[in-house]
């Protein structure tokens, strides 16, 4: 079986993927992009920790501003956020992942204090974004990833 080339630009492909989807699915899709980028930072952020912060924070900003936007702008906003995450990930993430830490991480407020202690805006905004992902999932592995990410960002 031969691979069929996809024609058209990526925005057309993205729109086809969303065809027929109601606009109210946009917040859930954006949250999924944020959550995946947060985890990816924890596993791949060692190669470009500061730059990969933006793969998570860009769609999170869009997610937070959706209530202020007219619904007609939600899908284009999702497309732009997804594109930003994809571009940053493609440019800065290494091929190899590091394992998700298995040891329990510190509490979220402790990780935020560590981020604040670094004085690095990227560490602070990443943990702020991670806190949103943690609120959605409650996954304790995110706390271990958070601690790792703050260390990686501070060392960069």
């Amino acid at each position: 079986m031969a691979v069929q080339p996809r024609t058209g630009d990526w925005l057309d492909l993205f729109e086809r993927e969303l065809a027929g989807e109601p606009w109210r699915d946009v917040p859930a899709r954006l949250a999924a992009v944020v959550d995946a980028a947060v985890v990816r930072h924890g596993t791949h952020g060692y190669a470009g920790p500061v730059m990969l912060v933006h793969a998570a924070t860009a769609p999170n900003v869009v997610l937070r501003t959706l209530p202020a936007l007219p619904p007609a702008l939600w899908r284009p906003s999702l497309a732009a956020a997804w594109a930003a995450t994809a571009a940053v990930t493609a440019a800065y993430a290494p091929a190899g992942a590091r394992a998700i830490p298995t040891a329990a991480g510190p509490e979220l407020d402790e990780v935020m204090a560590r981020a604040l202690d670094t004085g690095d805006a990227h560490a602070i905004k990443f943990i702020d974004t991670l806190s949103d992902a943690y609120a959605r999932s409650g996954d304790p592995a995110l706390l271990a990833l958070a601690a790792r990410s703050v260390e990686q960002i501070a060392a960069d």
Side-chain angles (χ1 to χ4, degrees), residues 2-153:
V3 175
Q4 297 298 316
R6 296 179 112 181
T7 59
D9 68 26
W10 66 269
L11 282 174
D12 290 337
L13 295 172
F14 190 80
E15 277 300 316
R16 278 184 278 187
E17 290 293 320
L18 290 177
E21 293 289 324
W23 57 264
R24 55 187 148 292
D25 285 348
V26 169
R29 289 177 181 264
L30 270 170
V33 171
V34 172
D35 296 352
V38 163
V39 171
R40 185 127 181 123
H41 191 280
T43 59
H44 292 75
Y46 66 91
V50 169
M51 289 308 298
L52 281 171
V53 162
H54 302 100
T57 59
N60 201 48
V61 168
V62 174
L63 179 59
R64 287 180 176 180
T65 59
L66 278 182
L69 296 175
L73 295 178
W74 284 25
R75 284 178 51 178
S77 297
L78 169 60
W82 175 84
T85 296
V88 170
T89 299
Y92 294 99
R98 291 188 175 165
I100 294 174
T102 55
E107 293 299 317
L108 187 57
D109 58 346
E110 183 182 332
V111 179
M112 181 54 88
R114 289 181 191 178
L116 290 168
D117 287 344
T118 69
D120 188 299
H122 290 92
I124 295 165
K125 68 182 180 178
F126 181 75
I127 298 306
D128 179 57
T129 294
L130 183 138
S131 71
D132 291 347
Y134 182 67
R136 284 188 288 275
S137 74
D139 184 354
L142 289 178
L143 298 176
L145 288 176
R148 176 192 283 173
S149 292
V150 168
E151 291 169 8
Q152 291 174 160
I153 293 164

